[in-house]
Amino acid sequence: MKRSFQNVVILFALMVVFTSCGDGWKKYIPLSVDKELGIQAQNQYDLMYKNQILPEKDHQELYDKINLIKERILKSGKVAHTDDFDWELKIINDSVLNAFCLPGGKIYIFTGLIKYLDNEAQLAGVMGHEIAHADKRHSIDNMAKQLGLAALINLVIGDAGSLIDIAQNLIGLKFSRDNEAQADEYSVNYLYETVYDASEANGFFNKLEKDNQEEEISPFLSTHPAPENRKENMLVHWKLLGGKGGEKMEANYLKIKEYLPKNNNEKW
Ligand SMILES: [Zn+2]
């Protein structure tokens, strides 16, 4: 097929799928776009946190423990792109209560969040939420919204020169409420198929509410909607799945915390 004709076909296909419901159109955007965006954004974050990212070779036990949580989620059978993306974990030594995952599976977790939580299932819940953002390709949704069809088509037909700009635009961009709700739901779905107690997937929200700390201390909530009904919705979803119990792994989590670097000016 001639390239120009091919482009017209792709354009037509995209216009059709964009105007229909659901997110089936995303399958027309190659996964290489997520991966490339992820790499570009990762370069920026690695630079931003270059003095705070804990090198894996110096913190092997910590990385092994947190990577095990990540692997359990990725092998839950519910993550669509376990084998497509190069899932990678980096731990940032900072008291911030936050975690995020870039397109293509680059996960960052702050030590402040690890310290704040009470058990492994709660951390798995936050990781599941972040993994869902990448797995459900929510950055592609944002791109479609921010840049429109033309930029997406440029990417699809191979004009990737603008990817760096796009990656810069993606940093700090909020996801829609629908995407957040989907990430919450999939966090429960993932955990439900692991050893973890999926009813703890909302444990971070519960803790923030209990501590009455929601807006003040958690940057997680500056890039995510406030809990409001989110924790209840997650619990309802867990019950809908069958309400199966699981492990919280509190004792094991205490050991994880022992591997965290000892900082002086910590809040938690
Ligand atoms: Zn989110």
Side-chain angles (χ1 to χ4, degrees):
M1 196 156 50
K2 270 191 174 168
R3 189 152 179 90
S4 57
F5 178 64
Q6 191 180 13
N7 293 351
V8 171
V9 171
I10 291 168
L11 174 65
F12 182 72
L14 280 172
M15 284 173 77
V16 169
V17 290
F18 263 89
T19 49
S20 61
C21 302
D23 63 356
W25 60 269
K26 264 188 263 183
K27 65 174 179 283
Y28 293 93
I29 312 292
L31 293 171
S32 56
V33 174
D34 303 60
K35 291 188 223 175
E36 189 55 37
L37 282 172
I39 289 166
Q40 298 296 344
Q42 185 184 33
N43 289 339
Q44 295 180 49
Y45 277 108
D46 285 356
L47 198 64
M48 199 188 303
Y49 293 111
K50 71 172 191 289
N51 298 322
Q52 290 170 283
I53 291 173
L54 298 176
E56 187 163 345
K57 62 178 171 50
D58 302 333
H59 300 270
Q60 200 59 57
E61 294 97 337
L62 178 63
Y63 272 94
D64 286 349
K65 297 267 185 197
I66 309 287
N67 268 318
L68 180 60
I69 304 175
K70 181 195 80 184
E71 288 304 317
R72 283 178 174 143
I73 294 170
L74 292 178
K75 290 182 179 138
S76 65
K78 296 287 175 186
V79 179
H81 299 299
T82 294
D83 298 327
D84 299 323
F85 293 156
D86 181 18
W87 299 89
E88 193 182 349
L89 169 75
K90 290 189 182 177
I91 302 170
I92 302 171
N93 191 20
D94 195 299
S95 62
V96 185
L97 304 187
N98 206 4
F100 57 91
C101 183
L102 301 174
K106 312 295 183 192
I107 306 164
Y108 292 79
I109 298 181
F110 290 83
T111 53
L113 178 73
I114 300 172
K115 268 187 196 164
Y116 181 67
L117 297 176
D118 295 327
N119 62 55
E120 211 173 300
Q122 289 177 351
L123 183 61
V126 178
M127 286 176 83
H129 176 99
E130 296 307 327
I131 285 171
H133 278 313
D135 193 46
K136 307 308 284 182
R137 309 181 70 194
H138 290 161
S139 291
I140 301 290
D141 288 327
N142 274 355
M143 259 171 52
K145 255 179 281 164
Q146 294 277 317
L147 307 163
L149 196 53
L152 270 179
I153 291 168
N154 274 340
L155 292 171
V156 172
I157 64 179
D159 175 16
S162 52
L163 264 178
I164 293 174
D165 294 337
I166 292 167
Q168 275 164 353
N169 287 335
L170 281 175
I171 285 187
L173 213 58
K174 283 188 185 188
F175 294 119
S176 70
R177 282 189 171 260
D178 283 351
N179 283 354
E180 291 300 341
Q182 189 180 44
D184 285 346
E185 194 176 305
Y186 270 81
S187 173
V188 178
N189 288 346
Y190 300 155
L191 263 62
Y192 204 83
E193 302 302 325
T194 67
V195 66
Y196 297 119
D197 180 354
S199 74
E200 279 288 289
N202 65 1
F204 181 37
F205 297 144
N206 280 330
K207 263 188 81 72
L208 286 175
E209 193 177 67
K210 211 168 80 190
D211 294 341
N212 202 16
Q213 299 276 18
E214 293 174 15
E215 299 298 343
E216 286 163 51
I217 56 155
S218 180
F220 185 84
L221 297 177
S222 70
T223 50
H224 291 78
E228 294 168 14
N229 301 320
R230 294 176 66 188
K231 59 191 180 61
E232 283 82 8
N233 290 343
M234 289 171 84
L235 208 58
V236 167
H237 187 63
W238 169 72
K239 283 178 187 157
L240 274 174
L241 290 177
K244 176 171 64 101
E247 294 187 37
K248 291 186 173 64
M249 297 204 184
E250 278 165 332
N252 202 44
Y253 197 65
L254 287 176
K255 282 187 212 146
I256 294 180
K257 288 189 184 186
E258 284 172 16
Y259 291 125
L260 290 170
K262 309 279 179 278
N263 294 344
N264 297 325
N265 53 351
E266 289 286 317
K267 277 189 263 183
W268 309 104

